Amino acid sequence: MVVLRYLVILITYIGLGLGYLPGLRMNRATIAIVGAAFLMALGVLDLPAAWGAIDYKTLIFLFGMMIISANLAASGFFQLALDYTIRRIHSPFGLLVVLTFGSGILSALFLNDTIALILTPLVVGITQLLKLKPIPYLLALAGATNLGSVATLSGNPQNILIGSFSGISYLDFAKALTPLALICLTIQVGLLWWLYPEVRSLRPYLKVKPPRYHIFKPLLIKSLLITTGLLVAFLIGIPTAEVTLIAAALLLVTRRLKPERILQKVDWDLLLMFCGLFILTEGVQKLGSLEWLSRFVDNPLSILGITALLSNLVSNVPAVLLLHHLIPHPDTRTWLLLAAASTLAGNLTLLGSVANLIVAEAVAKQGYRLTFGEHLRFGLPLTAITLMLTYFWLA
């Protein structure tokens, strides 16, 4: 029975790392749920314990941010922001800089996976329009959505988890990590300038007419007002889960937009995966399987190393869930190291973060190919430099 329990855990985490199980049509959400159910079937924990393991505040925060992002997307906000950019930037290097910092800032305010999903086809369209090679700009988008999301608790799912577990306020988190995120974005621009000579040009490209898009003005105004109010609430310290749910509820009160259009944009797979991961991690903890990891969280350098390794083996969200039990609750510096390392390590390989995979899959539909090797050529030095910077910044 003990061997079977550990086998279930091993297979589940292999599946989470790969994103699938060979021979089966399963994604990370179904793998997490099935693994959790098998641990319950094997007597590791019962249904009340499984239910109690689910952190409802994290799920509410995620759900609310998805509703807000879906409304902004439906209003045309992201297309408007990109159109504003290309009308005012007139060189390949200028486009690279603005795309990096623009997508990085948007990822700090909203979920990075959402930004990657929305902006990838737009970036492909713009590079085609301007007759530029898309790969450097897509790498800029993928990297920036990870780097920018370091800055705030709302930037990515693992930061949302860490905010819930640690009790660090939105403002304190942003004060500590926003400067780091901005420096990392600057490093990314320099790295892409070095790797891809074609992006160095400051020569104006031919003026072209941007693609047409539709702005839903009433929804845009409403979404921006509510989002601004939400960010103010974050900064003054109102509990994030509650205020995010209220903001989402206000956006769902509408006479013009069918609810199906917004609710189908919610990443239900991600929410389901979180439920399975919470239960799975509780089962792993009950089996005492995390004790060996405790030796790796006794100093900042080892925390960075084990977090980066686990984030690329099993993905960053499962890594945070595995490690958070071992971190002393009041130790703010260690929580910040965990947040930064789990996010920055996502740039190491194409499989390191969901945002990378979103960009690769979306660009494949447009007839281009972002290979593992092409990404590693960019991601390896970027990750090494930014993790080293994080060590000196926080430790």
Side-chain angles (χ1 to χ4, degrees):
M1 183 70 79
V2 174
V3 174
L4 193 55
R5 290 170 175 174
Y6 281 104
L7 185 61
V8 167
I9 291 171
L10 178 62
I11 293 173
T12 301
Y13 278 104
I14 288 174
L16 289 170
L18 294 173
Y20 65 93
L21 286 173
L24 298 173
R25 290 190 174 182
M26 299 178 72
N27 60 10
R28 285 188 172 92
T30 55
I31 290 167
I33 288 294
V34 170
F38 280 5
L39 288 185
M40 292 168 60
L42 293 170
V44 177
L45 68 172
D46 56 17
L47 188 58
W51 183 256
I54 297 173
D55 188 336
Y56 65 90
K57 290 184 179 179
T58 298
L59 297 180
I60 289 171
F61 192 6
L62 269 172
F63 173 77
M65 291 304 298
M66 290 173 186
I67 293 292
I68 292 163
S69 296
N71 275 274
L72 285 167
S75 72
F77 168 74
F78 297 110
Q79 291 93 331
L80 181 65
L82 212 55
D83 177 51
Y84 183 88
T85 297
I86 63 172
R87 286 180 184 274
R88 286 156 182 79
I89 303 302
H90 304 298
S91 71
F93 183 70
L95 180 62
L96 177 72
V97 171
V98 174
L99 177 61
T100 296
F101 283 93
S103 56
I105 291 168
L106 287 173
S107 295
L109 299 176
F110 311 103
L111 290 173
N112 63 336
D113 297 346
T114 302
I115 301 303
L117 189 64
I118 292 169
L119 292 190
T120 298
L122 299 179
V123 170
V124 172
I126 287 171
T127 54
Q128 287 177 334
L129 201 65
L130 300 175
K131 295 180 173 55
L132 300 172
K133 292 183 179 178
I135 295 299
Y137 299 95
L138 290 167
L139 287 172
L141 175 62
T145 53
N146 289 320
L147 297 176
S149 71
V150 169
T152 67
L153 288 175
S154 58
N156 58 55
Q158 62 269 22
N159 283 4
I160 293 173
L161 278 173
I162 288 168
S164 178
F165 295 146
S166 68
I168 301 173
S169 72
Y170 192 95
L171 186 57
D172 287 342
F173 191 98
K175 280 181 181 178
L177 292 184
T178 297
L180 176 66
L182 292 172
I183 295 170
C184 289
L185 289 169
T186 304
I187 290 169
Q188 174 178 286
V189 171
L191 182 61
L192 287 169
W193 181 90
W194 178 60
L195 290 173
Y196 295 95
E198 62 267 30
V199 306
R200 301 174 190 172
S201 175
L202 297 174
R203 182 178 298 174
Y205 41 65
L206 293 175
K207 290 192 175 183
V208 294
K209 188 176 181 181
R212 297 182 64 183
Y213 57 91
H214 177 67
I215 294 295
F216 192 175
K217 194 172 180 180
L219 180 61
L220 177 63
I221 294 170
K222 179 183 178 182
S223 299
L224 288 176
L225 287 174
I226 291 174
T227 302
T228 302
L230 176 68
L231 294 175
V232 171
F234 284 163
L235 295 176
I236 64 177
I238 298 176
T240 53
E242 288 91 329
V243 73
T244 304
L245 184 61
I246 292 168
L250 290 173
L251 286 169
L252 289 172
V253 178
T254 177
R255 292 184 298 111
R256 296 182 174 90
L257 209 61
K258 290 183 178 180
E260 294 86 355
R261 186 175 173 185
I262 296 301
L263 293 177
Q264 69 184 4
K265 299 295 184 183
V266 172
D267 192 344
W268 300 105
D269 279 5
L270 183 62
L271 296 175
L272 189 64
M273 185 186 78
F274 264 75
C275 292
L277 286 175
F278 282 128
I279 299 169
L280 187 68
T281 307
E282 181 71 14
V284 171
Q285 188 183 19
K286 284 185 178 294
L287 288 174
S289 306
L290 299 178
E291 292 177 3
W292 67 275
L293 284 174
S294 59
R295 73 187 72 171
F296 297 107
V297 293
D298 58 351
N299 67 78
L301 193 59
S302 61
I303 290 168
L304 281 175
I306 191 63
T307 304
L309 178 63
L310 282 176
S311 294
N312 278 278
L313 287 177
V314 299
S315 191
N316 39 29
V317 171
V320 167
L321 283 169
L322 284 171
L323 292 171
H324 86 274
H325 291 288
L326 307 175
I327 295 176
H329 191 272
D331 191 349
T332 298
R333 183 184 69 171
T334 305
W335 284 112
L336 293 173
L337 278 168
L338 180 62
S342 62
T343 301
L344 297 176
N347 279 326
L348 180 59
T349 70
L350 192 60
L351 306 176
S353 79
V354 176
N356 296 347
L357 293 173
I358 288 171
V359 171
E361 290 175 8
V363 75
K365 295 176 182 177
Q366 306 292 329
Y368 296 94
R369 189 164 175 244
L370 178 57
T371 65
F372 186 92
E374 184 85 25
H375 186 278
L376 186 65
R377 176 171 169 258
F378 159 74
L380 181 59
L382 180 64
T383 303
I385 294 168
T386 54
L387 285 178
M388 184 170 60
L389 175 64
T390 300
Y391 175 76
F392 289 108
W393 185 267
L394 292 175

